[in-house]
Amino acid sequence: SWRDCRLMVNCLYLTIPDRNENFDKFWAPAVRIAEREDDNRDMLVREHAVWGHGWVQYTEEHVSTFRCSFDFTEMPFDTQRCQLTFSMP
């Protein structure tokens, strides 16, 4: 989320889904996840939300495959964690 005072309007809340013709006129951060192996682009859903006071929120919903190492020697009493590394190129 961030604030852009150029977007201040008299409405309370406005959403712009990715199928809207004006969607690409809004800036969105490029985010990468290093461990992502594959992304099902057919399932990608993106949306901009703009509040009347200028706050902007950009969301993406993905169906993805990630690469993680697991150790199952203590199974079923183990705990596994998959660390994801996010970056903004």
Side-chain angles (χ1 to χ4, degrees):
S1 297
W2 62 93
R3 187 168 189 195
D4 187 339
C5 294
R6 296 170 298 171
L7 298 173
M8 295 179 76
V9 294
N10 290 328
C11 63
L12 181 61
Y13 180 77
L14 175 69
T15 59
I16 300 97
D18 54 8
R19 62 187 175 276
N20 185 295
E21 64 184 41
N22 295 309
F23 180 83
D24 290 326
K25 293 180 181 178
F26 288 83
W27 176 82
V31 178
R32 292 195 179 134
I33 304 173
E35 295 77 15
R36 182 183 294 158
E37 292 285 317
D38 190 28
D39 216 11
N40 184 339
R41 301 302 280 177
D42 294 332
M43 300 292 289
L44 176 63
V45 177
R46 302 174 300 161
E47 181 179 85
H48 293 285
V50 181
W51 281 266
H53 48 64
W55 280 105
V56 180
Q57 179 179 350
Y58 174 72
T59 58
E60 289 186 4
E61 296 178 17
H62 291 259
V63 174
S64 302
T65 303
F66 296 94
R67 171 182 19 96
C68 295
S69 297
F70 294 115
D71 179 3
F72 295 106
T73 56
E74 301 293 323
M75 193 173 170
F77 305 104
D78 59 338
T79 300
Q80 303 295 328
R81 294 180 191 260
C82 182
Q83 181 174 325
L84 300 179
T85 309
F86 292 80
S87 64
M88 294 179 69

